[in-house]
Amino acid sequence: MILGVGRDWSWLPPLLRRRTLMLGVTAAALLIGINWVVYVAAVTSGHTSDAALGYFLNPLATVALGVVVLREQLRPLQWLAVGIGAVAAVYLAVAGGAFPLTALVLATSFSLYGLVKNRVGATLPALHGLTLETLILLPVAALILVIIAVGPGLSFGTEGPVHTGLLIFSGVATAVPLLLFAAAARRIPLTTVGLIQFVTPMIQLVCAVTLLGEDISGARWIGFGIVWLALLVLSVDAAVKIKTARIRPRRSDAA
């Protein structure tokens, strides 16, 4: 709708002829599609805290990709935060008593999605990229809806206006953050993207406990506490960087 109102479709035909870029966009679409399906399945089956664990692992995976694949550099406090986060992730996985498959799929799919967006984002604006990813996923989504409609039946439009409105709003609530993510992934280092994402699972955890009534074990609370320590270290690192950036121009002006 946004592209239609702005008559912004001229970019699409030439882009479809760029095979390498299309492969990257297709890979991004498949990765985010996997992430969406697994996340929705986890939340609707009462495992939001498992999804939160996945997004605790996600920043670590994203930072690892930034360091290993893109050769980005971390500051000492950032390394410390990553180390603390790794300890928390291992502890949470062990304390859960089961192999964290859902968490690993969520972390792997979204960190790889971030890597792909970092690579293709330089030549593809966020809105164009998300539109193309959605178009690529459209046939798959339509097939899934047909299968569900023939089988158990669709709930969309059959459970009252509030239910229908919430489902529609969930699409907006998904698209807006992804647009912002795509815009950020092309402008800042992948390691920074990963470290900022520690905030996401904290919000998910709060929702799981306060809104969805999930029971969180004491062992898992300890693990989350370790992650909060990592966030504190990141906050200190950010404060130090801001202070240093302010001092340097003053010294230059004085000289």
Side-chain angles (χ1 to χ4, degrees):
M1 290 175 58
I2 296 173
L3 292 174
V5 171
R7 298 181 180 179
D8 186 17
W9 292 105
S10 59
W11 56 273
L12 187 56
L15 189 145
L16 294 175
R17 293 191 291 267
R18 299 175 61 180
R19 181 175 300 179
T20 302
L21 185 58
M22 281 301 301
L23 286 175
V25 175
T26 301
L30 294 175
L31 287 167
I32 198 61
I34 292 171
N35 188 271
W36 282 343
V37 171
V38 173
Y39 178 74
V40 171
V43 172
T44 54
S45 62
H47 292 88
T48 304
S49 59
D50 291 332
L53 174 57
Y55 287 105
F56 274 129
L57 295 171
N58 173 53
L60 301 174
T62 301
V63 170
L65 288 173
V67 173
V68 175
V69 179
L70 303 182
R71 306 297 181 186
E72 296 176 354
Q73 301 295 319
L74 297 182
R75 295 185 294 275
L77 284 179
Q78 289 178 321
W79 275 115
L80 178 59
V82 170
I84 296 173
V87 170
V90 172
Y91 175 83
L92 286 166
V94 173
F99 185 75
L101 180 60
T102 297
L104 289 176
V105 172
L106 287 173
T108 303
S109 58
F110 201 77
S111 59
L112 288 173
Y113 176 74
L115 175 63
V116 174
K117 296 296 287 185
N118 181 273
R119 295 291 84 190
V120 304
T123 56
L124 191 61
L127 182 59
H128 295 175
L130 185 59
T131 299
L132 193 54
E133 291 166 24
T134 307
L135 290 174
I136 291 171
L137 290 175
L138 183 60
V140 180
L143 177 61
I144 292 174
L145 289 176
V146 169
I147 294 173
I148 295 175
V150 173
L154 296 172
S155 65
F156 183 80
T158 64
E159 302 292 333
V162 174
H163 181 271
T164 302
L166 287 173
L167 283 174
I168 294 173
F169 174 74
S170 69
V172 178
T174 299
V176 171
L178 279 178
L179 283 171
L180 297 175
F181 176 82
R186 57 191 291 218
R187 289 175 168 86
I188 61 178
L190 193 61
T191 49
T192 304
V193 173
L195 292 170
I196 291 174
Q197 286 172 349
F198 272 119
V199 177
T200 300
M202 293 307 306
I203 299 174
Q204 292 169 337
L205 177 62
V206 171
C207 289
V209 174
T210 61
L211 301 179
L212 304 179
E214 292 188 17
D215 183 35
I216 309 297
S217 67
R220 181 156 286 192
W221 278 118
I222 293 174
F224 288 145
I226 300 173
V227 175
W228 293 335
L229 178 59
L231 287 171
L232 177 61
V233 173
L234 285 179
S235 300
V236 172
D237 175 77
V240 171
K241 183 181 179 183
I242 292 173
K243 184 177 181 180
T244 303
R246 289 176 177 174
I247 291 175
R248 285 177 179 172
R250 292 176 184 175
R251 289 179 176 175
S252 299
D253 293 341

